[in-house]
Amino acid sequence: MSNALDITDSTFEAEVLNSSVPVVVDFWAPWCGPCRKLGPVLDEIAEELKDKIKIVKVNTDENLKTAKEYSIIGLPSLLVFKNGQPVERLVGLMPKSSILSNIEKHL
């Protein structure tokens, strides 16, 4: 079971922009191989940092409005939001240690 919450264009504001904790948004698509490899890594991070952050997933094929609004052109793309603002952008498959170090500086 995934520790990341699937969200949509209609739930993005409530789950991300209005969140009281930093949010990592995973922009992905079902056809994206690296996205599928990143999923379990994000689940581990979500479990390890569950009291400090929230991790959500946005399927870019089904939620074009949000993907376009944040200029998502490469998948997978991770955006870290703090206080409703994007503060970090990570594009492509990368090691868990790199993802963690980029997230932790915003906690």
Side-chain angles (χ1 to χ4, degrees), residues 2 12 19 24 32 34 39 41 45 49 52-53 55 57 59 63 65-66 68 70 72 76 78-79 84 96 105:
S2 175
F12 189 86
S19 176
V24 178
C32 168
V41 174
I45 292 171
L49 300 176
K52 298 177 183 171
I53 64 162
I55 295 184
K57 299 171 73 67
N59 180 333
N63 300 281
K65 177 181 173 279
T66 303
K68 186 175 179 183
Y70 291 99
I72 303 302
L78 300 178
L79 263 62
K96 179 181 175 182
K105 64 186 175 187

Side-chain angles (χ1 to χ4, degrees), residues 78-96:
L78 300 178
L79 263 62
V80 180
F81 284 79
K82 190 171 184 180
N83 301 319
Q85 298 297 316
V87 294
E88 188 81 37
R89 179 182 295 257
L90 308 169
V91 180
L93 186 59
M94 56 188 62
K96 179 181 175 182

Side-chain angles (χ1 to χ4, degrees), residues 9 27 58-70:
D9 288 342
F27 289 92
V58 175
N59 180 333
T60 56
D61 286 352
E62 297 173 356
N63 300 281
L64 292 171
K65 177 181 173 279
T66 303
K68 186 175 179 183
E69 185 171 338
Y70 291 99

Side-chain angles (χ1 to χ4, degrees), residues 10-64:
S10 60
T11 59
F12 189 86
E13 182 176 355
E15 294 293 341
V16 178
L17 303 182
N18 296 334
S19 176
S20 59
V21 296
V23 182
V24 178
V25 182
D26 174 20
F27 289 92
W28 71 286
W31 49 264
C32 168
C35 298
R36 290 194 301 272
K37 288 183 177 149
L38 185 61
V41 174
L42 291 176
D43 286 342
E44 287 177 23
I45 292 171
E47 181 61 28
E48 289 171 23
L49 300 176
K50 65 184 170 196
D51 298 328
K52 298 177 183 171
I53 64 162
K54 176 167 44 170
I55 295 184
V56 300
K57 299 171 73 67
V58 175
N59 180 333
T60 56
D61 286 352
E62 297 173 356
N63 300 281
L64 292 171

